[in-house]
């Protein structure tokens, strides 16, 4: 049965009106698109002469292939009966000629019937009645027979395909070379190398976006604003004025006018005075970073364009309409609809990352597909008389519908901003609409390939964009893998809709996970179920959100009603993300870089290839599912059994939080007093989960340095916290303010640690040794200096027969003050060494404490040299056994007296 028979039996030509009856995928444009993409990525930042040489070679080779196509086709064409050369050629191969001049291949009967009855073809090697035989090779073309009719076409098509790949590679390399040369031309790169201070007139090309605060040492980087811009006019330090168009990144430091900078729109012209600096990485789109501050409002040289003002009003109207929603819905709805993530807090963003739901915050094809679906209905019915959607109900013709859809796609790009995923979605949508409007067959894989090719040639920097890569991979998986997986699931009895959703989520995760590993060095184990649970809420949230966006300029009360209704599905998505991220095994560490990505890709491919065989053994699938559930839930008893950590009866644990401090004192079943929180919420949260801590009667922050307090949200997440106790010195002020804001948001009271204070909870009792009490009548503790380290709350803790001294980050002067105020300081079993084991330690305090175990919390390969060699030597000389988190991992202490032991997790 051939293709025509299949079409005849079906009653209609397959692939014309039913998307599920689509003909075999057309992959002809895939190779040229990939060639242009690869060439663009390689050419960016490469030396210009090499790029030019490569582009010329590819172009010449491609043109040579095109020139050779007619010759290849002519050489492969079968010779006609009137061609003497053809007859001689066939006769020379053993094919006898009839009297009429017809050339017959060997084994075919001539008029005399020498090889059998007239017109009868005999298999090769079999003799006819006359004893003549055909060709000797079974199944081979008989000597002298004409070549198959399709052979010339196939040979020409292959050569044309090679030419297309070479020419597209040449085009991609040339476009990248030109863009790269343009961005590096002019005086900006040279001035950036010398960190020159300049005056520049720039055109803003993006919305302002906030940086995320990061802990560096004991402080947190301030939240700055970033703007993409193009320098139009530059005044150098020597007064030289240059007209140019060079892309830069504008970094605006915090200041009094930050809110004014935050409201800037793309296409706004600004005059900025600041300092240039080189970009952080080679091969970036920008030629320099232009640093300024927000102490003064932005100096506008020109207003934004009419389109950008309209888009800005729509976006601000949506934000205003969501002001009355709860925190998560207020932050997420603008991000889900138009990609505005300015309100998304770091903890919610982390939850979306842990569950691989961040694609919902990057506006993509799903949003545009929903809008076009409302307009034209299912694409498979767009050209049929029973087409659906709003357009036929309004009496709009098919071509006009396609034109309106194109306008919607362009407006979508303007309002949602030309991010990589938005551009990819819009390009695919426009190509599909063009096919609908011209009555051509719709095939989404060629549309995707065409979109990639055009976008990479238009903006070669997309070739190195991870966002663009993830968008294309996910779309390709939905078009190729998902339908096959869905069919396989349906054949095994899974309902059609559920099979489609499962296949889509699994296919997208399978192809995107290796790229995520490159970026984040981790694998999410809850990505597929979380995407499945969130999927059902995406469409209503998007439709209602776009309705609120459109209505807000005309009627803000109506927009607020729509936003209120949209808040329900958006709240569900936020709950899915937070719940999934809160599971102990939501994500696992994985080797980073392209090696880790290759390893994950190989394992994924092996799993997919063996899925059919595994499906025949239900008990194997059940066991694998059970192991996955256990890995995600990570029950504490099972974790302790598998890892041996923490040791049974542990009394104290030093968490591995990198370069920072976080400690836990056991105060009963599932209860612990936490001392400091480290620099990252995720790390301290994971440590507390491993310890089984669900209730924290007291959280004590020794001082306000970022490496001790920035992990505070991780302790508060999903736990009952009684109170937060802090030192009395609010330095640094920004970190003290962060703690107060976070505590107020969680409704946890804050108290100050009092000198000499004694407390008790469960088996624990402790005394505050430092800061010391002030002079008589003083209302605040005495501080030797205004240095935050020396204001660290220092505790002497007793738990059963165990004695611990926790020094915070005390420096030698404060350590001497502790010893001076407490000359009868007893010998301790465990010493938490001050300031991550730095070289600044008081020998007298070490001799007085004489610890049996000295524990040091420090990060692997930290830039401070912690712990110092002389500190380690002093501790060992005092008879202490030293354990450190950068080598031993998290450390748990158990027992007392002769049974005292400390064990590291690693």
């Amino acid at each position: 049965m051939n293709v025509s028979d299949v079409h005849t039996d079906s009653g209609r030509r397959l692939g014309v009106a039913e998307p599920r009856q689509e003909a075999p995928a057309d992959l002809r444009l895939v190779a040229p698109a990939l060639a242009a993409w690869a060439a663009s990525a390689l050419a960016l930042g490469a030396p210009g002469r090499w790029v030019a040489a490569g582009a010329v070679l590819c172009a010449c080779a491609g043109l040579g292939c095109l020139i050779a196509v007619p010759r290849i086709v002519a050489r492969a064409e079968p010779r006609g009966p009137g061609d003497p050369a053809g007859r001689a050629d066939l006769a020379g191969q053993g094919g006898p000629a009839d009297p009429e001049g017809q050339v017959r291949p060997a084994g075919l009967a001539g008029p005399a019937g020498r090889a059998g009855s007239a017109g009868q073809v005999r298999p090769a090697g079999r003799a006819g009645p006359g004893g003549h035989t055909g060709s000797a090779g079974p199944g081979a073309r008989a000597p002298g027979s004409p070549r198959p009719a399709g052979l010339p076409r196939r040979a020409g098509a292959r050569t044309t395909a090679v030419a297309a790949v070479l020419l597209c590679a040449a085009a991609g390399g040339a476009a990248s070379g030109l863009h790269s040369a343009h961005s590096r031309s002019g005086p900006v790169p040279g001035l950036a190398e010398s960190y020159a201070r300049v005056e520049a007139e720039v055109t803003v090309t993006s919305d302002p976006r906030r940086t995320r605060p990061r802990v560096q040492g004991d402080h947190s980087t301030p939240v700055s604003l970033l703007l993409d811009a193009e320098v139009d006019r530059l005044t150098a330090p020597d007064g030289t004025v240059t007209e140019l168009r060079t892309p830069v990144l504008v970094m605006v430091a915090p200041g009094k006018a930050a809110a004014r900078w935050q409201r800037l729109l793309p296409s706004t012209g600004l005059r900025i005075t600041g300092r240039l600096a080189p970009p952080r990485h080679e091969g970036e789109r920008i030629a320099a970073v232009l640093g300024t501050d927000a102490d003064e409002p932005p100096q506008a040289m020109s207003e934004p364009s009419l389109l950008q003002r309209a888009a800005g009003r729509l976006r601000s109207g949506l934000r205003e309409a969501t002001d009355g929603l709860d925190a998560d819905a207020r932050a997420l709805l603008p991000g889900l609809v138009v990609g505005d993530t300015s309100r998304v807090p770091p903890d919610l963003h982390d939850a979306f990352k842990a569950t691989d739901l961040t694609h919902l915050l990057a506006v993509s094809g799903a949003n545009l597909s929903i809008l076009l679906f409302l307009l034209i209905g299912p694409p498979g019915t767009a050209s049929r008389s029973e087409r659906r959607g709003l357009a036929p109900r309004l009496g709009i013709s098919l071509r006009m519908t396609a034109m309106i859809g194109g306008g919607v796609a362009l407006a979508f790009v303007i309002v949602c901003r030309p991010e990589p995923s938005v551009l990819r979605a819009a390009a695919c949508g426009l190509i599909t609409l063009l096919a609908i409007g011209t009555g051509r067959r719709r095939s989404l894989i060629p549309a995707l390939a065409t979109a990639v090719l055009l976008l990479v040639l238009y903006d070669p920097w997309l070739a190195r964009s991870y966002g663009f890569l993830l968008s294309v991979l996910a779309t390709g998986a939905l078009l190729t893998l998902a339908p096959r997986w869905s069919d396989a699931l349906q054949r095994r009895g899974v309902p059609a809709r559920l099979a489609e959703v499962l296949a889509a989520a699994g296919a997208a995760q399978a192809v995107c996970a290796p790229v995520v590993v490159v970026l984040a060095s981790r694998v999410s184990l809850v990505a597929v179920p979380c995407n499945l649970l969130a999927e059902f809420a995406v469409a209503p949230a998007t439709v209602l959100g776009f309705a609120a966006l459109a209505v807000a300029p005309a009627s803000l009360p109506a927009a607020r009603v729509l936003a209120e209704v949209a808040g329900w599905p958006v709240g569900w998505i936020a709950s899915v993300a937070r719940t999934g991220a809160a599971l102990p095994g939501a994500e696992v560490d994985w080797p980073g870089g392209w090696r880790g990505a290759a390893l994950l890709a190989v394992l994924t491919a092996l799993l997919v290839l063996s899925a059919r065989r595994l499906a025949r053994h239900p008990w194997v699938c059940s066991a694998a599912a059970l192991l996955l559930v256990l890995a995600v839930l990570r029950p504490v008893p099972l974790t302790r059994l598998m890892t041996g950590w923490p040791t049974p009866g542990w009394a104290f644990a030093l968490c591995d939080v990198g370069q920072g401090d976080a400690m836990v004192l056991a105060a009963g079943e599932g209860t612990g007093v936490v001392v400091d929180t480290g620099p990252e919420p995720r790390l301290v949260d994971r440590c507390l989960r491993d310890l089984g801590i669900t209730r924290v009667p007291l959280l004590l922050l020794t001082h306000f340095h970022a490496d001790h307090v920035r992990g505070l949200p991780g302790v508060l997440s999903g736990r009952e916290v009684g109170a937060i106790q802090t030192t009395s010195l609010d330095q640094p002020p920004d970190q003290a303010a962060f703690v107060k804001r976070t505590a107020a948001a969680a409704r946890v009271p804050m108290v100050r640690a009092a000198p000499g204070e004694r407390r008790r909870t469960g088996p624990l009792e402790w005394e505050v040794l430092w800061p010391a009490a002030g002079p008589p009548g003083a209302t605040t503790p005495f501080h030797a200096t205004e240095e935050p380290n020396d204001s660290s709350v220092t505790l002497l803790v007793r738990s059963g027969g165990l004695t611990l001294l926790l020094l915070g980050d005390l420096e030698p002067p404060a350590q001497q003050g502790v010893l001076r105020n407490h000359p009868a300081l007893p010998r301790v079993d465990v010493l938490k060494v001050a300031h991550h084991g730095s070289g600044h330690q008081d020998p007298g305090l070490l001799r007085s404490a004489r610890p049996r175990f000295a524990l040091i919390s420090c990060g692997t390969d930290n830039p401070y040299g912690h712990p110092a060699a002389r500190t380690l030597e002093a501790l060992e000389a005092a008879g202490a056994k030293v354990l450190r988190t950068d080598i031993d991992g998290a450390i748990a202490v158990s027992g007392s007296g002769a049974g005292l032991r400390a064990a590291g997790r690693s």
Side-chain angles (χ1 to χ4, degrees):
M1 178 178 287
N2 58 25
V3 175
S4 299
D5 297 329
V6 175
H7 285 301
T8 302
D9 291 343
S10 70
R12 63 170 66 90
R13 181 169 178 79
L14 300 185
V16 172
E18 295 294 340
R20 296 187 181 278
Q21 295 179 340
E22 194 69 50
D26 185 353
L27 304 179
R28 288 175 296 176
L29 289 176
V30 173
L34 292 177
W37 192 349
S40 296
L42 293 173
L44 288 174
R49 63 175 68 91
W50 290 104
V51 174
V56 169
L57 286 175
C58 288
C60 291
L63 291 174
C65 289
L66 287 180
I67 293 172
V69 168
R71 295 185 179 181
I72 294 172
V73 173
R75 189 176 305 164
E77 280 287 354
R79 302 295 184 178
D83 187 349
R87 292 197 298 271
D89 176 62
L90 294 175
Q93 297 182 29
D98 287 343
E100 293 83 3
Q102 291 182 333
V103 180
R104 295 185 180 274
L108 267 70
R114 290 180 305 221
S117 60
Q120 183 178 0
V121 180
R122 296 197 178 274
R126 291 184 58 184
H132 295 279
T133 62
S135 162
R141 180 173 60 88
S145 64
R147 292 177 176 86
L151 181 60
R153 290 195 297 271
R154 289 197 296 270
R158 284 194 294 267
T159 308
T160 304
V162 173
V165 169
L166 292 171
L167 291 175
C168 286
S176 293
L178 292 173
H179 277 75
S180 182
H182 173 71
S183 65
R184 299 297 181 269
S185 63
V188 171
L191 292 172
E193 291 293 335
S194 60
Y195 294 89
R197 188 169 182 82
V198 299
E199 182 180 279
E201 294 181 11
V202 305
T203 300
V204 178
T205 58
S206 75
D207 287 303
R209 55 193 184 275
R210 293 177 180 270
T211 61
R212 182 170 178 176
R214 298 185 180 277
V215 176
Q216 294 182 348
D218 58 9
H219 67 281
S220 179
T221 57
V223 177
S224 302
L225 289 178
L226 301 179
L227 294 150
D228 295 325
E230 284 189 347
V231 178
D232 302 318
R233 181 184 177 92
L234 182 74
T235 304
D238 60 0
T240 304
V241 178
T242 308
E243 303 282 343
L244 68 166
R245 291 198 61 172
T246 301
V248 296
L249 176 68
V250 179
M251 180 176 290
V252 184
K256 295 177 292 185
R260 296 277 298 276
W261 287 85
Q262 181 73 42
R263 292 195 293 268
L264 288 174
L265 294 174
S267 74
T268 303
L270 298 177
R271 176 178 289 151
I272 297 176
T273 300
R275 191 174 300 278
L276 289 172
R280 180 175 296 181
H281 304 291
E282 290 291 334
E284 288 195 28
R285 179 193 298 263
I286 60 171
V289 177
L290 177 57
T292 186
D293 56 54
D295 288 336
E296 298 294 334
Q299 186 177 355
M301 301 295 295
S302 62
E303 293 295 320
S305 66
L306 178 62
L307 285 176
Q308 292 296 345
R309 288 201 301 272
R313 282 195 295 270
L314 289 172
R315 291 167 68 94
S316 62
L318 179 60
R319 285 195 297 269
E320 191 173 353
T322 60
D323 283 342
L325 305 182
D326 64 71
D328 282 351
R330 183 170 64 249
L332 280 183
L333 187 56
L336 186 68
V337 175
V338 294
D340 182 358
T341 59
S342 58
R343 291 176 168 180
V344 177
D347 60 327
L348 185 58
H349 192 269
D350 287 342
F352 271 70
K353 285 176 60 178
T355 53
D356 279 355
L357 289 172
T358 48
H359 62 91
L360 297 179
L361 300 178
V363 178
S364 62
N367 303 59
L368 182 58
S369 297
I370 292 170
L371 292 179
L372 295 180
F373 185 90
L374 292 175
L375 178 65
I376 65 176
T381 65
S383 300
R384 296 165 60 182
S385 59
E386 64 271 22
R387 63 193 182 104
R388 288 173 280 175
L390 294 176
R393 288 172 170 77
L394 297 176
I396 303 175
S397 67
L398 184 61
R399 291 190 178 183
M400 183 58 67
T401 300
M403 294 179 64
I404 294 174
V408 169
L410 294 177
F412 177 78
V413 173
I414 295 172
V415 175
C416 299
R417 307 311 192 206
E419 297 296 329
S421 59
V422 175
L423 291 175
R424 194 276 311 155
C428 287
L430 288 172
I431 293 169
T432 304
L433 288 167
L434 179 63
I436 292 174
T438 56
R440 295 180 180 271
R441 180 170 166 267
R442 298 163 304 285
S443 186
L444 295 180
I445 293 178
L448 176 61
T450 304
V452 170
L453 179 60
L454 295 177
L455 289 173
V456 167
L457 294 179
Y458 169 73
D459 184 3
W461 298 102
L462 290 174
R464 288 192 174 183
S465 167
Y466 285 106
F468 185 69
L469 175 60
L470 289 169
S471 177
V472 173
L473 285 176
T475 306
L478 295 178
L479 297 178
T480 56
L481 297 179
R484 292 176 173 83
W485 293 6
S486 175
D487 291 341
L489 290 172
Q490 291 180 53
R491 286 195 298 269
R492 286 167 173 78
V494 179
R497 177 56 180 160
L498 179 59
E500 291 175 358
V501 175
L502 280 171
Q509 181 67 15
V511 300
C512 292
V515 180
V516 175
V517 162
V518 176
L519 300 173
S521 301
R522 52 103 187 152
V523 175
S524 175
L525 299 182
V526 298
V528 172
C530 286
N531 274 274
L532 290 175
L533 292 172
E535 177 69 23
F536 302 102
V538 171
T542 303
V543 171
L544 291 168
F546 271 112
L549 175 82
V551 170
S555 174
L556 189 58
R560 284 175 174 157
V561 172
L562 291 169
E564 184 71 31
V565 179
W568 300 340
V570 170
W572 167 256
I573 295 173
S575 300
V576 168
R578 289 192 182 276
T579 303
L583 294 172
E587 50 186 350
V588 295
D589 295 331
W590 192 269
W594 290 108
R595 290 184 179 181
L599 175 61
L600 181 60
V602 169
L603 292 177
T604 303
L606 291 175
L607 180 62
V608 171
L609 293 175
S610 60
R612 181 176 298 179
R613 181 173 299 177
L614 292 175
R616 300 171 186 167
H617 305 283
W619 64 271
V620 174
C621 298
S622 301
L626 177 61
L627 288 176
L628 179 60
V629 170
L630 291 176
V632 171
L633 297 180
R634 293 173 63 177
V636 174
L638 180 62
T639 303
R640 291 180 180 178
L641 179 64
M642 298 292 293
T643 64
W645 195 93
T647 53
W650 68 275
F652 174 78
L654 182 64
C655 297
D656 182 8
V657 292
Q659 187 66 17
D661 274 3
M663 296 158 276
V664 186
L665 295 157
E669 185 66 28
T671 303
V673 172
V674 177
V675 181
D676 287 335
T677 65
E680 286 190 43
R682 180 176 60 91
L683 297 178
V684 67
D685 181 40
R686 183 171 63 181
C687 179
L688 293 176
R689 289 183 182 280
D690 291 342
L691 295 169
I693 300 298
T694 58
R695 180 176 174 271
V696 180
L698 183 70
L699 167 58
L700 192 146
L701 302 176
T702 59
H703 60 297
F704 287 111
H705 272 157
D707 55 337
H708 291 251
V709 303
R710 272 286 169 177
L712 176 59
V715 179
L716 298 176
S717 176
R719 293 180 185 86
E720 178 188 348
V721 179
I724 297 175
Q725 190 174 48
T726 70
T727 184
S728 56
L729 181 66
D730 290 345
Q731 293 291 334
D734 57 330
Q735 300 309 312
F738 163 76
V739 171
K740 293 175 182 177
R741 287 196 310 270
T742 306
R747 298 180 180 178
V748 178
M750 292 183 61
V751 295
R752 301 286 190 179
E757 172 186 350
R758 294 177 181 269
R759 285 200 178 213
R760 186 183 191 96
T761 179
L764 291 175
E765 63 173 309
W766 65 89
E767 177 185 0
V768 176
L769 302 182
W770 190 265
T779 58
T780 60
F782 168 73
H783 300 286
T785 67
E786 292 298 307
E787 167 62 36
N789 282 344
D790 282 337
S791 70
S792 295
V793 177
T794 301
L795 302 179
L796 180 64
V797 183
R798 290 180 176 84
S799 177
L802 184 67
T803 305
L804 307 96
L805 180 60
L806 312 180
L807 293 176
D809 276 0
L810 292 184
E811 302 289 349
Q815 294 179 23
Q816 294 168 4
V818 170
L819 193 57
R820 186 167 52 249
N821 291 348
H822 303 276
L825 186 69
R827 181 181 183 182
V828 299
D829 298 305
V830 178
L831 171 69
K832 201 290 294 184
V833 181
H835 204 175
H836 319 292
S838 76
H840 302 289
Q841 308 290 335
D842 179 57
L845 181 60
L846 296 181
R847 287 193 298 269
S848 177
R850 293 174 298 155
R852 296 172 61 182
F853 286 99
L855 309 184
I856 300 174
S857 179
C858 56
T860 304
D861 299 326
N862 66 82
Y864 312 102
H866 295 163
R870 63 179 179 180
T871 298
L872 297 176
E873 293 170 358
L875 291 168
E876 291 170 353
K881 181 179 179 180
V882 179
L883 286 87
R884 37 195 283 195
T885 57
D886 61 333
I887 294 177
D888 302 295
I891 302 164
V893 178
S894 59
S896 62
L900 180 67
R901 60 183 298 238
R905 180 163 192 167
S906 58

